[in-house]
Amino acid sequence: LLSSYVQSHFILFFVVCLVRRRPPRSTQRSSSAASDVYRRRVAGRFGKFIEQLRVFTSSAEKGLAGSTVISFPDDELGDIGNKIAESYKELDLQKRKATIEREKLLQHVHSSDEGLCFFSSDRTAEFYNGLFIQYLNVIIDGAQGNPELIFSSPLLKELNDFLSSGKKYFETQLSKQGKTFALRENIFEDKGFE
């Protein structure tokens, strides 16, 4: 009796399922659902990558990029993030080395037995030592320590003409107040000169 009861209900259940059965999803709907899942995964991965880049740039702005450990995702985006971080750290290291070398050069210029002055391409004095100013005051009356007066002095016309000659190196001598000065001018690649 129980068996016939279960059988009849099973048949009834099966018939109801057939009648009320939902139509199968169309190809468009199933591909849409799959693409939604894929988009969520990609957006999640991309979001994690962006967050790690944000942490890295924040620490870089504070000067802590070298000591901050960042773990980018283990995928293509993570590879890109790691390469960006490595490149930044290498640039930062090179910048620090250049700063140290610049400091060494400046100390050398200060202790030099020659008067030296470095000018930018727009003829602005960027750095000079005390001997340069001392010699400049002898060569140009009333120079009062202004190295940019070399561009307006008739005595240094030869130096100024050289700047527009397109050549890289110039040397001459100048006598003033019983002293002879060796004047040398060297133009650098960035059009700055000394």
Side-chain angles (χ1 to χ4, degrees), residues 123 151 158-166 185 187 193:
R123 300 184 179 200
F151 303 115
E158 235 181 326
L159 279 176
N160 290 310
D161 291 344
F162 167 75
L163 287 174
S164 57
S165 73
E185 196 165 18
I187 298 179
F193 55 97

Side-chain angles (χ1 to χ4, degrees), residues 16-26 29:
V16 169
C17 285
L18 284 176
V19 172
R20 301 186 128 222
R21 191 185 84 156
R22 294 175 134 176
R25 288 187 173 178
S26 69
R29 285 188 179 177

Side-chain angles (χ1 to χ4, degrees), residues 66-132:
S67 61
T68 303
V69 177
I70 302 291
S71 59
F72 289 104
D74 190 23
D75 57 14
E76 301 85 21
L77 291 175
D79 291 343
I80 293 169
N82 285 323
K83 286 181 182 181
I84 289 171
E86 287 171 19
S87 296
Y88 179 84
K89 288 175 184 178
E90 182 63 29
L91 282 173
D92 191 48
L93 176 66
Q94 294 304 321
K95 179 182 172 186
R96 290 175 197 227
K97 284 181 179 180
T99 300
I100 290 169
E101 291 301 316
R102 184 177 193 274
E103 289 301 317
K104 288 179 186 177
L105 177 64
L106 294 179
Q107 287 175 5
H108 175 72
V109 168
H110 272 303
S111 63
S112 176
D113 291 337
E114 296 181 348
L116 296 168
C117 184
F118 294 92
F119 291 91
S120 65
S121 59
D122 66 355
R123 300 184 179 200
T124 303
E126 293 182 331
F127 186 80
Y128 49 87
N129 65 5
L131 280 177
F132 179 83

Side-chain angles (χ1 to χ4, degrees), residues 22-76:
R22 294 175 134 176
R25 288 187 173 178
S26 69
T27 307
Q28 182 181 10
R29 285 188 179 177
S30 64
S31 69
S32 176
S35 66
D36 286 348
V37 169
Y38 180 74
R39 272 186 260 157
R40 281 190 214 110
R41 284 190 67 211
V42 169
R45 287 176 40 204
F46 195 70
K48 186 176 181 183
F49 171 74
I50 294 296
E51 181 57 32
Q52 292 300 320
L53 267 181
R54 186 177 293 127
V55 168
F56 177 76
T57 56
S58 176
S59 62
E61 288 172 350
K62 296 174 186 172
L64 303 172
S67 61
T68 303
V69 177
I70 302 291
S71 59
F72 289 104
D74 190 23
D75 57 14
E76 301 85 21

Side-chain angles (χ1 to χ4, degrees), residues 135-178:
Y135 296 155
L136 182 67
N137 287 332
V138 172
I139 294 170
I140 301 175
D141 297 325
Q144 299 176 1
N146 183 357
E148 292 163 13
L149 288 177
I150 67 167
F151 303 115
S152 60
S153 171
L155 287 173
L156 301 173
K157 182 179 181 335
E158 235 181 326
L159 279 176
N160 290 310
D161 291 344
F162 167 75
L163 287 174
S164 57
S165 73
K167 297 178 184 173
K168 297 288 183 188
Y169 184 79
F170 174 77
E171 189 170 346
T172 190
Q173 289 187 344
L174 174 72
S175 294
K176 178 92 186 255
Q177 296 181 4

